Amino acid sequence: MTAKTYMVGNWKMNQTQAEIESFFSGLSLSNNQNNFWIAPQCLHISKCMDLGAKAGVLIGAQNCSEHEYGAFTGENSVDSLSEMGVHFTLVGHSERRTLFGETDETINKKVLKASQTGILPILCIGETLKEREAGKTLDIVLGQLKAGLKDLKIQNESEVIIAYEPVWAIGTGKTASPEQAGEVHNAIREVLSELYGDFGQDISILYGGSVKPNNVEDLLAQPNINGGLVGGASLKAESFNALCSAC
Ligand code: PGA
């Protein structure tokens, strides 16, 4: 298995222009092989593309529209994102699912649309606390995985990334234990292998949910955890540097 390891910062609706400048000027990334990525607010993509190019950080979006163009006020099309040079887009983050009512069907359309436009989709999946307590974790997570990837064809392992983010661990300070996360990642790996054969062995599966410099190494020690999708701890250069140096 040779799945690549990525550290991806999801800045959500945070960071002023001054904070962005201070973030990039504080970066010092060793062992950088184009595997440290940031998703800022869309408004800041252009600025981050300039600063990221100097720092060797690839830039992505937090969301995209499933529609090509037209009367969809407030949305961003994959064509426009692609023109700006974004490398990837998050799709189906749990905040999009719960706060904005995104369904598996919409999320699947976004995955396909991004992929057709040459933007790498990072499909986010994860169970709520209620679902975990009811013993439904794998049903939910694998169901979201299969629905999100429906009809997606890939030519190699680097055309899609999966992010497993238990909803109860996002922004709460409660991380899944490495064993809890590892178990779900192993199950995701099996489904990816069924769907994509050899490529499925090498698709990167990120873990997200309160990843911090003090827990990242234990998480990355699990065989099928191939990096992190990080909110809070990606906002400051110091902690992003520390997360990246664990890769
Ligand atoms: P967190 O967010 O690291 O702040 O928990 C992760 C995410 O929402 O992607």
mmCIF file of all heavy atoms in Angstrom, residues 3-8 35-36 161-165 181 185 189 203-209 211 216 219-230 243 246-247:
data_model
loop_
_atom_site.group_PDB
_atom_site.id
_atom_site.type_symbol
_atom_site.label_atom_id
_atom_site.label_comp_id
_atom_site.label_asym_id
_atom_site.label_seq_id
_atom_site.Cartn_x
_atom_site.Cartn_y
_atom_site.Cartn_z
ATOM 1 N N ALA A 3 -0.657 4.641 -0.192
ATOM 2 C CA ALA A 3 -1.515 5.836 -0.137
ATOM 3 C C ALA A 3 -0.693 7.015 0.387
ATOM 4 O O ALA A 3 0.022 6.891 1.379
ATOM 5 C CB ALA A 3 -2.719 5.585 0.759
ATOM 6 N N LYS A 4 -0.808 8.135 -0.296
ATOM 7 C CA LYS A 4 -0.055 9.328 0.098
ATOM 8 C C LYS A 4 -0.680 9.965 1.344
ATOM 9 O O LYS A 4 -1.886 9.846 1.564
ATOM 10 C CB LYS A 4 -0.089 10.326 -1.070
ATOM 11 C CG LYS A 4 1.256 10.932 -1.352
ATOM 12 C CD LYS A 4 1.237 11.849 -2.552
ATOM 13 C CE LYS A 4 2.201 13.008 -2.237
ATOM 14 N NZ LYS A 4 2.265 14.011 -3.265
ATOM 15 N N THR A 5 0.139 10.624 2.141
ATOM 16 C CA THR A 5 -0.352 11.279 3.368
ATOM 17 C C THR A 5 -0.522 12.783 3.128
ATOM 18 O O THR A 5 0.401 13.433 2.632
ATOM 19 C CB THR A 5 0.658 11.064 4.510
ATOM 20 O OG1 THR A 5 0.886 9.663 4.630
ATOM 21 C CG2 THR A 5 0.123 11.586 5.830
ATOM 22 N N TYR A 6 -1.693 13.295 3.496
ATOM 23 C CA TYR A 6 -1.981 14.719 3.304
ATOM 24 C C TYR A 6 -2.381 15.367 4.624
ATOM 25 O O TYR A 6 -3.002 14.728 5.475
ATOM 26 C CB TYR A 6 -3.162 14.907 2.338
ATOM 27 C CG TYR A 6 -2.887 14.410 0.949
ATOM 28 C CD1 TYR A 6 -3.277 13.125 0.560
ATOM 29 C CD2 TYR A 6 -2.227 15.211 0.024
ATOM 30 C CE1 TYR A 6 -3.014 12.657 -0.726
ATOM 31 C CE2 TYR A 6 -1.962 14.754 -1.261
ATOM 32 C CZ TYR A 6 -2.359 13.480 -1.628
ATOM 33 O OH TYR A 6 -2.095 13.022 -2.891
ATOM 34 N N MET A 7 -2.055 16.657 4.763
ATOM 35 C CA MET A 7 -2.592 17.446 5.876
ATOM 36 C C MET A 7 -3.373 18.590 5.230
ATOM 37 O O MET A 7 -2.812 19.403 4.484
ATOM 38 C CB MET A 7 -1.437 17.973 6.744
ATOM 39 C CG MET A 7 -1.834 18.387 8.132
ATOM 40 S SD MET A 7 -2.833 17.178 9.077
ATOM 41 C CE MET A 7 -1.698 15.819 9.309
ATOM 42 N N VAL A 8 -4.681 18.581 5.471
ATOM 43 C CA VAL A 8 -5.559 19.543 4.796
ATOM 44 C C VAL A 8 -6.231 20.427 5.843
ATOM 45 O O VAL A 8 -6.912 19.925 6.746
ATOM 46 C CB VAL A 8 -6.641 18.806 3.970
ATOM 47 C CG1 VAL A 8 -7.517 19.813 3.217
ATOM 48 C CG2 VAL A 8 -5.996 17.825 2.983
ATOM 49 N N ASN A 35 1.829 18.041 -0.397
ATOM 50 C CA ASN A 35 0.789 17.315 0.335
ATOM 51 C C ASN A 35 0.227 18.101 1.525
ATOM 52 O O ASN A 35 -0.442 17.539 2.370
ATOM 53 C CB ASN A 35 1.287 15.932 0.776
ATOM 54 C CG ASN A 35 2.622 15.981 1.457
ATOM 55 O OD1 ASN A 35 3.358 16.953 1.319
ATOM 56 N ND2 ASN A 35 2.941 14.953 2.206
ATOM 57 N N PHE A 36 0.493 19.420 1.543
ATOM 58 C CA PHE A 36 -0.067 20.272 2.587
ATOM 59 C C PHE A 36 -1.009 21.270 1.915
ATOM 60 O O PHE A 36 -0.573 22.077 1.090
ATOM 61 C CB PHE A 36 1.060 20.987 3.345
ATOM 62 C CG PHE A 36 2.093 20.043 3.892
ATOM 63 C CD1 PHE A 36 3.454 20.333 3.825
ATOM 64 C CD2 PHE A 36 1.712 18.837 4.473
ATOM 65 C CE1 PHE A 36 4.405 19.458 4.323
ATOM 66 C CE2 PHE A 36 2.660 17.938 4.979
ATOM 67 C CZ PHE A 36 4.005 18.252 4.896
ATOM 68 N N ILE A 161 -10.297 11.674 -2.788
ATOM 69 C CA ILE A 161 -9.821 11.460 -1.417
ATOM 70 C C ILE A 161 -11.061 11.337 -0.539
ATOM 71 O O ILE A 161 -12.083 11.995 -0.795
ATOM 72 C CB ILE A 161 -8.927 12.644 -0.952
ATOM 73 C CG1 ILE A 161 -7.584 12.614 -1.718
ATOM 74 C CG2 ILE A 161 -8.681 12.610 0.555
ATOM 75 C CD1 ILE A 161 -6.634 13.757 -1.361
ATOM 76 N N ILE A 162 -10.978 10.491 0.475
ATOM 77 C CA ILE A 162 -12.084 10.345 1.427
ATOM 78 C C ILE A 162 -11.647 10.952 2.764
ATOM 79 O O ILE A 162 -10.494 10.791 3.178
ATOM 80 C CB ILE A 162 -12.420 8.841 1.651
ATOM 81 C CG1 ILE A 162 -12.639 8.116 0.310
ATOM 82 C CG2 ILE A 162 -13.620 8.689 2.590
ATOM 83 C CD1 ILE A 162 -13.734 8.680 -0.567
ATOM 84 N N ALA A 163 -12.564 11.646 3.427
ATOM 85 C CA ALA A 163 -12.274 12.143 4.781
ATOM 86 C C ALA A 163 -13.341 11.578 5.722
ATOM 87 O O ALA A 163 -14.535 11.878 5.560
ATOM 88 C CB ALA A 163 -12.284 13.662 4.817
ATOM 89 N N TYR A 164 -12.903 10.747 6.663
ATOM 90 C CA TYR A 164 -13.822 10.247 7.689
ATOM 91 C C TYR A 164 -13.793 11.217 8.860
ATOM 92 O O TYR A 164 -12.751 11.424 9.487
ATOM 93 C CB TYR A 164 -13.416 8.839 8.154
ATOM 94 C CG TYR A 164 -14.145 8.435 9.418
ATOM 95 C CD1 TYR A 164 -15.541 8.403 9.454
ATOM 96 C CD2 TYR A 164 -13.446 8.112 10.583
ATOM 97 C CE1 TYR A 164 -16.216 8.075 10.611
ATOM 98 C CE2 TYR A 164 -14.119 7.765 11.750
ATOM 99 C CZ TYR A 164 -15.507 7.755 11.752
ATOM 100 O OH TYR A 164 -16.183 7.431 12.904
ATOM 101 N N GLU A 165 -14.939 11.827 9.140
ATOM 102 C CA GLU A 165 -15.026 12.793 10.238
ATOM 103 C C GLU A 165 -16.251 12.482 11.084
ATOM 104 O O GLU A 165 -17.375 12.858 10.711
ATOM 105 C CB GLU A 165 -15.164 14.215 9.689
ATOM 106 C CG GLU A 165 -14.012 14.655 8.826
ATOM 107 C CD GLU A 165 -13.978 16.178 8.700
ATOM 108 O OE1 GLU A 165 -14.931 16.763 8.181
ATOM 109 O OE2 GLU A 165 -12.998 16.774 9.173
ATOM 110 N N ALA A 181 -11.079 5.210 15.199
ATOM 111 C CA ALA A 181 -10.953 5.753 13.843
ATOM 112 C C ALA A 181 -10.387 4.684 12.911
ATOM 113 O O ALA A 181 -10.885 4.486 11.799
ATOM 114 C CB ALA A 181 -10.043 6.984 13.858
ATOM 115 N N HIS A 185 -11.697 3.358 9.284
ATOM 116 C CA HIS A 185 -10.849 3.512 8.088
ATOM 117 C C HIS A 185 -10.607 2.166 7.405
ATOM 118 O O HIS A 185 -10.583 2.090 6.174
ATOM 119 C CB HIS A 185 -9.514 4.167 8.460
ATOM 120 C CG HIS A 185 -9.609 5.661 8.617
ATOM 121 N ND1 HIS A 185 -8.847 6.557 7.892
ATOM 122 C CD2 HIS A 185 -10.416 6.413 9.419
ATOM 123 C CE1 HIS A 185 -9.177 7.796 8.236
ATOM 124 N NE2 HIS A 185 -10.114 7.731 9.172
ATOM 125 N N ARG A 189 -11.551 1.296 3.597
ATOM 126 C CA ARG A 189 -10.560 0.737 2.659
ATOM 127 C C ARG A 189 -11.135 -0.476 1.924
ATOM 128 O O ARG A 189 -10.939 -0.634 0.718
ATOM 129 C CB ARG A 189 -9.283 0.354 3.430
ATOM 130 C CG ARG A 189 -8.244 -0.379 2.616
ATOM 131 C CD ARG A 189 -7.548 0.519 1.584
ATOM 132 N NE ARG A 189 -6.767 1.562 2.206
ATOM 133 C CZ ARG A 189 -6.605 2.800 1.684
ATOM 134 N NH1 ARG A 189 -7.168 3.116 0.537
ATOM 135 N NH2 ARG A 189 -5.881 3.701 2.309
ATOM 136 N N ILE A 203 -6.057 4.879 -2.456
ATOM 137 C CA ILE A 203 -6.774 6.157 -2.285
ATOM 138 C C ILE A 203 -6.532 6.627 -0.847
ATOM 139 O O ILE A 203 -6.635 5.834 0.101
ATOM 140 C CB ILE A 203 -8.284 5.956 -2.550
ATOM 141 C CG1 ILE A 203 -8.520 5.670 -4.043
ATOM 142 C CG2 ILE A 203 -9.098 7.175 -2.093
ATOM 143 C CD1 ILE A 203 -9.952 5.280 -4.394
ATOM 144 N N SER A 204 -6.211 7.894 -0.676
ATOM 145 C CA SER A 204 -5.938 8.396 0.677
ATOM 146 C C SER A 204 -7.234 8.574 1.461
ATOM 147 O O SER A 204 -8.226 9.083 0.923
ATOM 148 C CB SER A 204 -5.191 9.731 0.606
ATOM 149 O OG SER A 204 -3.962 9.532 -0.056
ATOM 150 N N ILE A 205 -7.208 8.148 2.712
ATOM 151 C CA ILE A 205 -8.364 8.298 3.612
ATOM 152 C C ILE A 205 -7.900 9.154 4.794
ATOM 153 O O ILE A 205 -7.082 8.723 5.607
ATOM 154 C CB ILE A 205 -8.876 6.931 4.132
ATOM 155 C CG1 ILE A 205 -9.061 5.925 2.982
ATOM 156 C CG2 ILE A 205 -10.188 7.124 4.902
ATOM 157 C CD1 ILE A 205 -9.375 4.500 3.463
ATOM 158 N N LEU A 206 -8.420 10.390 4.857
ATOM 159 C CA LEU A 206 -8.038 11.314 5.934
ATOM 160 C C LEU A 206 -8.956 11.112 7.130
ATOM 161 O O LEU A 206 -10.118 10.735 6.970
ATOM 162 C CB LEU A 206 -8.167 12.762 5.464
ATOM 163 C CG LEU A 206 -7.603 13.112 4.083
ATOM 164 C CD1 LEU A 206 -7.798 14.604 3.794
ATOM 165 C CD2 LEU A 206 -6.139 12.739 3.992
ATOM 166 N N TYR A 207 -8.448 11.420 8.313
ATOM 167 C CA TYR A 207 -9.304 11.467 9.505
ATOM 168 C C TYR A 207 -9.489 12.932 9.900
ATOM 169 O O TYR A 207 -8.528 13.728 9.838
ATOM 170 C CB TYR A 207 -8.666 10.702 10.689
ATOM 171 C CG TYR A 207 -9.431 11.007 11.952
ATOM 172 C CD1 TYR A 207 -10.638 10.366 12.210
ATOM 173 C CD2 TYR A 207 -9.008 12.025 12.829
ATOM 174 C CE1 TYR A 207 -11.403 10.715 13.315
ATOM 175 C CE2 TYR A 207 -9.766 12.368 13.930
ATOM 176 C CZ TYR A 207 -10.961 11.708 14.171
ATOM 177 O OH TYR A 207 -11.722 12.062 15.248
ATOM 178 N N GLY A 208 -10.705 13.296 10.308
ATOM 179 C CA GLY A 208 -10.943 14.651 10.798
ATOM 180 C C GLY A 208 -11.817 14.638 12.030
ATOM 181 O O GLY A 208 -12.652 13.750 12.210
ATOM 182 N N GLY A 209 -11.636 15.652 12.865
ATOM 183 C CA GLY A 209 -12.409 15.758 14.109
ATOM 184 C C GLY A 209 -11.451 15.961 15.263
ATOM 185 O O GLY A 209 -10.907 14.996 15.800
ATOM 186 N N VAL A 211 -8.403 16.988 15.358
ATOM 187 C CA VAL A 211 -6.992 16.610 15.192
ATOM 188 C C VAL A 211 -6.136 17.778 15.690
ATOM 189 O O VAL A 211 -6.405 18.936 15.369
ATOM 190 C CB VAL A 211 -6.657 16.324 13.705
ATOM 191 C CG1 VAL A 211 -5.165 16.044 13.527
ATOM 192 C CG2 VAL A 211 -7.487 15.157 13.185
ATOM 193 N N VAL A 216 -1.975 13.835 16.663
ATOM 194 C CA VAL A 216 -1.883 13.477 15.240
ATOM 195 C C VAL A 216 -0.996 12.247 15.005
ATOM 196 O O VAL A 216 -1.306 11.400 14.167
ATOM 197 C CB VAL A 216 -1.415 14.709 14.406
ATOM 198 C CG1 VAL A 216 0.013 15.110 14.712
ATOM 199 C CG2 VAL A 216 -1.602 14.459 12.933
ATOM 200 N N LEU A 219 -2.823 8.987 15.634
ATOM 201 C CA LEU A 219 -3.817 8.733 14.583
ATOM 202 C C LEU A 219 -3.128 8.244 13.305
ATOM 203 O O LEU A 219 -3.538 7.249 12.699
ATOM 204 C CB LEU A 219 -4.628 10.001 14.299
ATOM 205 C CG LEU A 219 -5.612 10.389 15.406
ATOM 206 C CD1 LEU A 219 -6.033 11.857 15.296
ATOM 207 C CD2 LEU A 219 -6.856 9.493 15.375
ATOM 208 N N LEU A 220 -2.038 8.923 12.930
ATOM 209 C CA LEU A 220 -1.349 8.560 11.680
ATOM 210 C C LEU A 220 -0.663 7.200 11.771
ATOM 211 O O LEU A 220 -0.296 6.620 10.748
ATOM 212 C CB LEU A 220 -0.315 9.633 11.307
ATOM 213 C CG LEU A 220 -0.876 10.990 10.883
ATOM 214 C CD1 LEU A 220 0.252 11.965 10.547
ATOM 215 C CD2 LEU A 220 -1.805 10.867 9.689
ATOM 216 N N ALA A 221 -0.500 6.694 12.985
ATOM 217 C CA ALA A 221 0.135 5.376 13.139
ATOM 218 C C ALA A 221 -0.801 4.251 12.695
ATOM 219 O O ALA A 221 -0.363 3.121 12.458
ATOM 220 C CB ALA A 221 0.568 5.177 14.591
ATOM 221 N N GLN A 222 -2.090 4.543 12.586
ATOM 222 C CA GLN A 222 -3.029 3.518 12.107
ATOM 223 C C GLN A 222 -2.799 3.295 10.611
ATOM 224 O O GLN A 222 -2.648 4.261 9.859
ATOM 225 C CB GLN A 222 -4.479 3.993 12.326
ATOM 226 C CG GLN A 222 -4.882 4.118 13.780
ATOM 227 C CD GLN A 222 -5.059 2.742 14.434
ATOM 228 O OE1 GLN A 222 -5.612 1.824 13.844
ATOM 229 N NE2 GLN A 222 -4.557 2.609 15.643
ATOM 230 N N PRO A 223 -2.783 2.025 10.184
ATOM 231 C CA PRO A 223 -2.371 1.750 8.800
ATOM 232 C C PRO A 223 -3.223 2.431 7.723
ATOM 233 O O PRO A 223 -2.706 2.816 6.690
ATOM 234 C CB PRO A 223 -2.481 0.224 8.686
ATOM 235 C CG PRO A 223 -3.174 -0.249 9.913
ATOM 236 C CD PRO A 223 -3.029 0.808 10.960
ATOM 237 N N ASN A 224 -4.507 2.609 7.970
ATOM 238 C CA ASN A 224 -5.337 3.203 6.920
ATOM 239 C C ASN A 224 -5.718 4.655 7.192
ATOM 240 O O ASN A 224 -6.646 5.180 6.576
ATOM 241 C CB ASN A 224 -6.592 2.357 6.679
ATOM 242 C CG ASN A 224 -6.256 1.133 5.842
ATOM 243 O OD1 ASN A 224 -5.624 1.256 4.789
ATOM 244 N ND2 ASN A 224 -6.636 -0.041 6.314
ATOM 245 N N ILE A 225 -5.019 5.303 8.110
ATOM 246 C CA ILE A 225 -5.235 6.749 8.290
ATOM 247 C C ILE A 225 -4.110 7.463 7.542
ATOM 248 O O ILE A 225 -2.950 7.405 7.940
ATOM 249 C CB ILE A 225 -5.286 7.155 9.777
ATOM 250 C CG1 ILE A 225 -6.463 6.443 10.465
ATOM 251 C CG2 ILE A 225 -5.420 8.675 9.904
ATOM 252 C CD1 ILE A 225 -6.749 6.886 11.885
ATOM 253 N N ASN A 226 -4.482 8.109 6.437
ATOM 254 C CA ASN A 226 -3.474 8.682 5.538
ATOM 255 C C ASN A 226 -3.515 10.205 5.574
ATOM 256 O O ASN A 226 -3.539 10.854 4.523
ATOM 257 C CB ASN A 226 -3.710 8.195 4.098
ATOM 258 C CG ASN A 226 -4.022 6.709 4.017
ATOM 259 O OD1 ASN A 226 -5.091 6.314 3.587
ATOM 260 N ND2 ASN A 226 -3.101 5.874 4.473
ATOM 261 N N GLY A 227 -3.579 10.753 6.786
ATOM 262 C CA GLY A 227 -3.542 12.202 6.904
ATOM 263 C C GLY A 227 -4.738 12.749 7.652
ATOM 264 O O GLY A 227 -5.557 11.985 8.173
ATOM 265 N N GLY A 228 -4.815 14.082 7.698
ATOM 266 C CA GLY A 228 -5.865 14.715 8.492
ATOM 267 C C GLY A 228 -6.591 15.812 7.732
ATOM 268 O O GLY A 228 -6.015 16.470 6.866
ATOM 269 N N LEU A 229 -7.867 15.984 8.072
ATOM 270 C CA LEU A 229 -8.645 17.154 7.650
ATOM 271 C C LEU A 229 -8.893 17.931 8.939
ATOM 272 O O LEU A 229 -9.561 17.436 9.850
ATOM 273 C CB LEU A 229 -9.958 16.725 6.989
ATOM 274 C CG LEU A 229 -10.884 17.864 6.552
ATOM 275 C CD1 LEU A 229 -10.190 18.823 5.601
ATOM 276 C CD2 LEU A 229 -12.136 17.308 5.877
ATOM 277 N N VAL A 230 -8.314 19.129 9.017
ATOM 278 C CA VAL A 230 -8.197 19.797 10.305
ATOM 279 C C VAL A 230 -8.830 21.186 10.273
ATOM 280 O O VAL A 230 -8.510 21.992 9.391
ATOM 281 C CB VAL A 230 -6.696 19.951 10.683
ATOM 282 C CG1 VAL A 230 -6.571 20.469 12.105
ATOM 283 C CG2 VAL A 230 -5.970 18.634 10.518
ATOM 284 N N LEU A 243 1.505 19.949 12.694
ATOM 285 C CA LEU A 243 0.717 18.858 12.086
ATOM 286 C C LEU A 243 1.415 18.320 10.843
ATOM 287 O O LEU A 243 1.501 17.103 10.639
ATOM 288 C CB LEU A 243 -0.679 19.373 11.694
ATOM 289 C CG LEU A 243 -1.610 19.742 12.850
ATOM 290 C CD1 LEU A 243 -2.821 20.514 12.341
ATOM 291 C CD2 LEU A 243 -2.065 18.483 13.593
ATOM 292 N N ALA A 246 4.353 16.003 11.233
ATOM 293 C CA ALA A 246 4.055 14.616 11.649
ATOM 294 C C ALA A 246 3.772 13.711 10.439
ATOM 295 O O ALA A 246 3.671 12.503 10.572
ATOM 296 C CB ALA A 246 2.842 14.617 12.580
ATOM 297 N N CYS A 247 3.650 14.319 9.253
ATOM 298 C CA CYS A 247 3.303 13.508 8.049
ATOM 299 C C CYS A 247 4.517 12.735 7.528
ATOM 300 O O CYS A 247 5.605 13.251 7.536
ATOM 301 C CB CYS A 247 2.795 14.401 6.933
ATOM 302 S SG CYS A 247 1.136 14.981 7.225
#
